[in-house]
Amino acid sequence: MPLPLTSPLGPTIETARLILRPPLREDFDGFCAFFADAESMRHLGGVQSPAVAWRAYTSVAGAWHLDGAHMFSVIEKESGQWIGRIGALYPWDWPGREVGWGLLSPYFGKGYAIEAAAASMDYVFDALGWDRVIHSIAPDNLPSAAVATKLGSYNQGAGKLPDPYADKPVDIWGQTREEWAQNRLRLKT
């Protein structure tokens, strides 16, 4: 299968099994599938309609245009399938600059979240010059906490997100650029 076209909004990053790039118009069906996937959306507000998926999809694309970064569309190289969205985000009034992740549930447990999140961490530290990264994780989201732990991030305590998530409990995980330099080496071995 040929590689997807590079987005005019930002870089394309290749890992061993994945392609990360800003969203393209053809990714909308993947966003709809993600927002309709009960397991994928379990800690992200529950299943949502295509109208809500459209707003999220255009918000991600708009953030790439306005800020030069946001979540990448994650494409599985072997199949060419859109399998999730992972990458940088820093919404207004957010508790910090975040690398977040979300995959379609059939792709859970295959190491894709760690692979794509690690590439995103490299990108935000090396290309964007961030000094620190957070991951906002619901306290009962053990799989996401396991991804953060594998990346070398650690739970820094309870945090607060802005509306419409202000009433949801969240733990702030994270690490510094210096910590990532050491943790990245450990991931490669």
Side-chain angles (χ1 to χ4, degrees), residues 25 33 52 57 60 63 68 79 94 111 123 141 147-148 167 171:
R25 180 156 301 271
V52 173
Y57 164 75
V60 170
S79 68
W94 214 247
Y123 178 70
N141 188 346
V147 170
D167 63 335
D171 289 331

Side-chain angles (χ1 to χ4, degrees), residues 13 18-22 31 34 60 64 70-74 82-89 98-104 111-121 147 151:
I13 299 170
L18 304 171
I19 297 167
L20 284 67
R21 58 158 172 71
F31 270 76
F34 179 78
V60 170
W64 273 103
H70 206 284
M71 288 194 155
F72 293 103
S73 282
V74 180
W82 187 99
I83 65 167
R85 82 289 181 281
I86 294 177
L89 62 146
E98 178 161 2
V99 168
W101 46 82
L103 296 174
L104 288 164
Y112 288 146
I114 294 162
E115 186 174 331
S120 295
M121 299 276 283
V147 170
L151 293 169

Side-chain angles (χ1 to χ4, degrees), residues 46-83:
V47 169
Q48 303 291 323
S49 70
V52 173
W54 174 259
R55 288 192 293 278
Y57 164 75
T58 58
S59 177
V60 170
W64 273 103
H65 176 73
L66 295 172
D67 300 332
H70 206 284
M71 288 194 155
F72 293 103
S73 282
V74 180
I75 311 299
E76 184 185 47
K77 279 185 183 179
E78 186 176 319
S79 68
Q81 292 295 308
W82 187 99
I83 65 167

Side-chain angles (χ1 to χ4, degrees), residues 3 5 12 22-23 65 76 78-79 82 117 149 157 160 173:
L3 295 178
L5 297 173
T12 296
H65 176 73
E76 184 185 47
E78 186 176 319
S79 68
W82 187 99
T149 299
K160 185 158 177 65
W173 292 68

